[in-house]
Each structure stands twice: as C-alpha cells, then as structure tokens.
Amino acid sequence: MAQKFFELIPPGTRFPFVKTAKYFIALSFVLIAVSIATMAYNYTSRGSALNFGIDFAGGSSARLQLAREVPIQDVREALDAAGFESASAVTVPDADNQIIVHVKDVASIDMATAKGCEEAVNAYPKAKLKRPMSYQEGASKMFFVFESAPVYSELEALLSKAGCEGKVDKGTGKQDEFPVELSLVGMGVKIQDELNQALGQGTVTAIVSSETVGAKVGSQLKADGVKSLLYALGFIFLYVMLRFDLRFAPGGILALAHDAFITVGAFALTWKEFNLQTIAALLTIVGYSINDTIVVFDRIRERVALSRDTPIEETTDIALNETLSRTILTSGTTLLVVLATWALGTGTIKDFAFALMIGIVVGTYSSLFIACPVFLWVNRRFYGGEGHLLTPDDAAAATVDAGTVLAAENAEVDEATGRAIGDLRAEAAAKAASQGEGEADKGQGVGAEDGDEPAKASRRRRRQRPQSCSSASLTHELAARADEAPAGARGRAPAGPAATCPSGHVPRGR
C-alpha cells in the first residue's frame, strides 16, 4: 500500500497566478504609496519620517541598581511623567533588581563647561596635564593625559565641583604617560533623581553605568545600516544571476526591495522605534524571502526544461502551484513562532518580532506575485518571449543572447558511444526484433531434432536481468556482437568475454 503524505493544497490545483498577477502588483503599488505618504506625513508633522531610536537619533542609556523590586511598567510610567521622550526600560535578567533605561536626551555638557573643567584640572597641584584635554561636544567622555599619576578620588571631586559630574577611571596610553578618562553620568543622575522622586527616595541606590550616543555617531550608524541593506541586495543579485540566469535576478531583487520597503512602511504607520534591531530584522527578512524565491525559481526552471513545447506562462503557473503547498506550510510554521514571540515578548524583542511578522507575510506574497511576473516580463521584453524554451534552431536565429538552450528532439547523447540515445534505442529494438524471429525459428528446429519442445528451447535462453549501467549502451554492444557472430551461432549466447559497460564494470546477472 502506497504511503500518503499530508498536502495542504490538493494535487492538481491550478490557481491562475500569472493571469491574476496584475491585481496583486496593483495592491503592492497601493501599499508602497501608503508607506511613502505615511513617511511624508510623519516628516511634516513630527519632524522625522521614522521614529528613530537612540542608535540612529542619539540619546542616553543608564543601568541602575534598585533597592527593591519595582514593576517595570511603573518605571516606564515614571519616565513618561518626567518628560523623557521615547523612554524605555527593561530589567537585567542576570542581575538582581537592576534595570536599563534608554532616553533620547543626550548626556553632554557644553563647550564652555568643558573649558571650565579643563581649567580646574590645570590648577590641580598633585599632577600636571601633559597635553590639552580631549572632548567633542555631544560626547559622553572626557580624556586627560598627566605627567604623573593623579589621585582619582580627588580628581573626580574636582571635576564634579566644576560641573563635569562623572566617574574617573584609568585610560589607555603610552607607558610613560598617565591617561585618565571621565565618563559623564549627568543624564544617569537626572534619571536617578526623577525615579527617586516618583517611586520614593532611595529606590535607585546606584548608577552602574551610563553612556551617550551623540548625533554624529547616530548618523554614522544610520548610514552603515543603509549600506548593509544595499550590499545584501547587490550580492544576492549576483548570486541569482550566476546560479540561475540573468533574467531571474531582477525579479528576485525587486521582490526583496518590495519586502523591505513595506516593512519600513509598517514601522512608519505604527510609529514604532526604528533602531539597529530593526535593521537586523530587515536583513533577516531579505534572507528568508530570497530563500523562498529561490525555491520557486528552481521549480520554474525545472518545469520549463521538462515542457519545452508548453508556453512559458503556463509552465510558470504549474510550477507555482506545485510549490504552493510547501510555501504555505513553511511560511505558516515560521509565522506561528514569530507570532508567539510577538505576543509574549516585550520591548525591543516585540518590535523585532513585529518586523519579522510583516516581512514573512509580504515575502511569501512577493515570491509568488512579484518575482515571477517580473521574470516573465524580462523574458518577454528582452528575450523575445521565448526564454528557456529556445530550441537550437531558434537560438541560432535569435538576435539576442539565447541563454539556456534546450536539447533538440533526439539530441540526448550517450556518453559511451557519442551517439544519440534515441538512435541507439531504435537500432537496438530493430535488431532485437530480427534476432527474436531468428532465434524462434532455430529454437523450433533444434527442438525437433533433439526431441525437445519449443518451450524448453525458450527456457534455455539467457534471461535479461536489470543492468547497472546504461541499457542503451549495453544493448548496442550485444547487438554488435550478434552481427559479428557466425550465422549458426546466433541462437546462442555470444562467446567471448562478458559484455561490459563503458566504465569497465560487468553488469549484474551476466
């Protein structure tokens, strides 16, 4: 009894993907237009097309030690009430009663205050500065180099009194120098004061760490994120072009750009924070989507090679329907995991899952309704509409590069003899038929002389067994030996060494 496998889509399903593609392409244009309009509205009303996070817009992060366990939602409400823009708070899983707070405010001091701190350090009697202070406006650290080792606690108190509140630590430098760096914790102190005021004095006992991402660094991270997406699309284009055909590559890349842009549009519409985690989600979507598209393209190429007399549009429809069950099952199971992560996750994990959820749905849709129609259009526009259906005669007459050309009728070549397999089969069949008639006549004559029945003579014939090499090549060799054998010996097995395959192996059963 044949084993049956579960199939979500019944065999023989023929959904008209190619015929209905224009409606789905129109839907994609609508989604892209909505995304562009939403980003334009956000830019005019809010000053930014997307809700860029600290990574891109700049901001501060502080890790705080709490005296007791406080619900994280209470911390978030206290930060919002204090006026911190786009503030977020998460617990530290590997530490007791510690939280990490992100705000868009930048913990920095102006250059006038920095100059005052430098003058205070120059007046420090126990150590002399070897070179001027190093500080960039908007940065979270100040750097000093002394000729001798200072007392860190005294230097920290001196800088704090001058308006540069922070933590002094040993820096890195040359062996004969004494570098010192000051980590400004001004924003951390402000967050600590606001939380203590809202949750009760003594709730935040210490500032574990504090750092700031300036506007310049955020702009650089933003540019690097865009470059990473462009590099990914470029290398995927080259891969598809080399792995399949140039006519497949535009469809694959357009589908990937379509997926990424609509996902970004979803972030603009919901005003969710767009940060480095979102860039990672977009790169994941690009990789997942191209994997689905490659599976579809591979089946199209296989189907076109098997059905060279069928119009390429019809062959594409058949290939898409054959992969439909696999596509829905794979994307559906992945989507279930992402949905669970989105429902149960919090903070940046929830936003990451949201991006993947949108990307999986749009990526599956684009593999079927965007990539394949673009492939057919490129094939029709630049390759005369024939595509991979070109025969050798058509390819010779084509005015453009024919690309992959299928073998003509009866053009499969046997590797052993170099002759067409169709010719070998026809020749072997004809010789086998003529030999069968001669063997039947001789078998009857021998049976009459020896008193045997014709059936016994038939049983004496050597039975053909399954061969472990090309049956066409072996049959051709046996037929050639039969022609060379004397006329009286044609009813018996040919003498001499056993027939061998071109590789030198003796077939089983001989």
Side-chain angles (χ1 to χ4, degrees):
M1 181 178 180
Q3 186 177 4
K4 293 184 178 180
F5 295 94
F6 172 74
E7 289 184 300
L8 183 64
I9 305 299
T13 301
R14 289 294 179 266
F15 182 83
F17 286 97
V18 176
K19 186 178 295 184
T20 58
K22 56 184 178 181
Y23 302 109
F24 292 96
I25 292 176
L27 175 62
S28 293
F29 275 115
V30 171
L31 294 176
I32 292 174
V34 170
S35 300
I36 295 175
T38 303
M39 286 187 277
Y41 173 79
N42 291 340
Y43 184 79
T44 56
S45 62
R46 296 173 172 173
S48 177
L50 295 170
N51 183 20
F52 292 111
I54 296 173
D55 300 327
F56 296 145
S60 302
S61 174
R63 181 168 177 171
L64 308 176
Q65 178 68 54
L66 305 182
R68 56 184 174 84
E69 184 176 354
V70 178
I72 197 65
Q73 187 61 32
D74 293 348
V75 176
R76 293 168 182 164
E77 292 175 357
L79 292 172
D80 292 338
F84 291 108
E85 184 182 359
S86 300
S88 63
V90 294
T91 58
V92 180
D94 56 348
D96 294 333
N97 298 332
Q98 285 191 10
I99 61 173
I100 296 178
V101 176
H102 297 280
V103 295
K104 281 194 172 181
D105 302 74
V106 178
S108 62
I109 56 177
D110 56 24
M111 293 304 296
T113 305
K115 286 294 184 182
C117 293
E118 184 178 15
E119 292 176 0
V121 172
N122 282 327
Y124 180 59
K126 296 184 179 181
K128 185 179 179 181
L129 280 176
K130 188 175 182 178
R131 63 174 66 103
M133 172 198 67
S134 175
Y135 174 74
Q136 293 182 351
E137 188 173 3
S140 60
K141 290 186 177 182
M142 303 176 69
F143 300 93
F144 305 91
V145 178
F146 292 89
E147 295 180 351
S148 58
V151 179
Y152 291 161
S153 59
E154 296 179 355
L155 186 61
E156 186 173 312
L158 180 65
L159 288 169
S160 179
K161 186 177 180 180
C164 299
E165 187 173 358
K167 183 177 178 59
V168 174
D169 290 311
K170 181 181 179 180
T172 57
K174 298 179 180 179
Q175 188 174 3
D176 58 341
E177 297 178 344
F178 296 89
V180 173
E181 63 180 40
L182 171 67
S183 299
L184 297 172
V185 292
M187 187 54 61
V189 172
K190 184 178 181 181
I191 294 173
Q192 180 184 23
D193 294 340
E194 294 292 346
L195 290 180
N196 282 333
Q197 183 177 352
L199 303 176
Q201 290 297 327
T203 301
V204 180
T205 59
I207 301 173
V208 180
S209 63
S210 178
E211 60 182 354
T212 296
V213 177
K216 293 182 179 179
V217 177
S219 299
Q220 183 64 40
L221 291 175
K222 191 186 302 183
D224 291 342
V226 174
K227 287 179 182 179
S228 65
L229 282 174
L230 294 178
Y231 287 151
L233 293 177
F235 283 113
I236 289 175
F237 180 89
L238 292 176
Y239 167 76
V240 176
M241 181 181 67
L242 297 175
R243 175 66 176 81
F244 289 92
D245 194 294
L246 179 58
R247 69 196 76 190
F248 283 103
I253 295 304
L254 193 61
L256 297 184
H258 164 275
D259 302 340
F261 193 84
I262 290 181
T263 304
V264 173
F267 272 77
L269 187 63
T270 57
W271 198 240
K272 288 183 175 294
E273 184 175 309
F274 193 91
N275 48 31
L276 285 178
Q277 286 79 12
T278 311
I279 295 294
L282 291 177
L283 292 173
T284 305
I285 291 168
V286 167
Y288 185 89
S289 180
I290 193 60
N291 174 72
D292 201 22
T293 305
I294 288 297
V295 172
V296 174
F297 279 169
D298 199 40
R299 181 57 63 91
I300 291 175
R301 185 176 62 171
E302 175 186 339
R303 269 291 164 190
V304 168
L306 293 174
S307 308
R308 66 188 182 92
D309 295 327
T310 306
I312 194 169
E313 289 80 8
E314 182 179 343
T315 306
T316 302
D317 254 347
I318 295 174
L320 291 175
N321 280 280
E322 287 178 344
T323 58
L324 186 59
S325 180
R326 174 263 170 204
T327 300
I328 294 178
L329 286 174
T330 303
S331 300
T333 51
T334 307
L335 188 60
L336 288 176
V337 177
V338 175
L339 279 172
T341 306
W342 176 78
L344 301 176
T346 58
T348 56
I349 294 179
K350 194 179 187 71
D351 292 342
F352 184 84
F354 173 79
L356 291 183
M357 184 170 56
I358 299 297
I360 289 173
V361 174
V362 178
T364 303
Y365 149 81
S366 67
S367 296
L368 298 173
F369 297 105
I370 302 298
C372 294
V374 172
F375 153 69
L376 292 175
W377 179 82
V378 171
N379 182 64
R380 182 173 59 254
R381 174 67 176 81
F382 299 100
Y383 294 87
E386 295 295 338
H388 286 36
L389 301 180
L390 288 175
T391 61
D393 294 337
D394 296 334
T399 57
V400 297
D401 181 17
T404 303
V405 181
L406 294 179
E409 290 286 351
N410 192 29
E412 296 94 343
V413 177
D414 179 64
E415 295 180 357
T417 62
R419 298 179 59 190
I421 291 180
D423 293 341
L424 291 176
R425 290 174 179 170
E427 183 179 334
K431 290 186 178 181
S434 62
Q435 291 176 18
E437 294 177 359
E439 289 174 354
D441 296 338
K442 291 182 178 298
Q444 290 178 358
V446 172
E449 293 175 0
D450 298 342
D452 295 335
E453 297 178 0
K456 292 182 179 179
S458 175
R459 283 194 299 268
R460 286 198 298 268
R461 298 172 190 155
R462 187 180 300 275
R463 179 181 297 176
Q464 283 191 338
R465 298 174 182 264
Q467 302 172 0
S468 60
C469 59
S470 171
S471 58
S473 302
L474 189 58
T475 304
H476 177 66
E477 182 179 349
L478 293 175
R481 289 191 182 184
D483 288 343
E484 297 173 358
R490 290 195 178 182
R492 301 186 300 272
T500 59
C501 300
S503 60
H505 297 288
V506 179
R508 293 179 297 175
R510 299 204 69 82

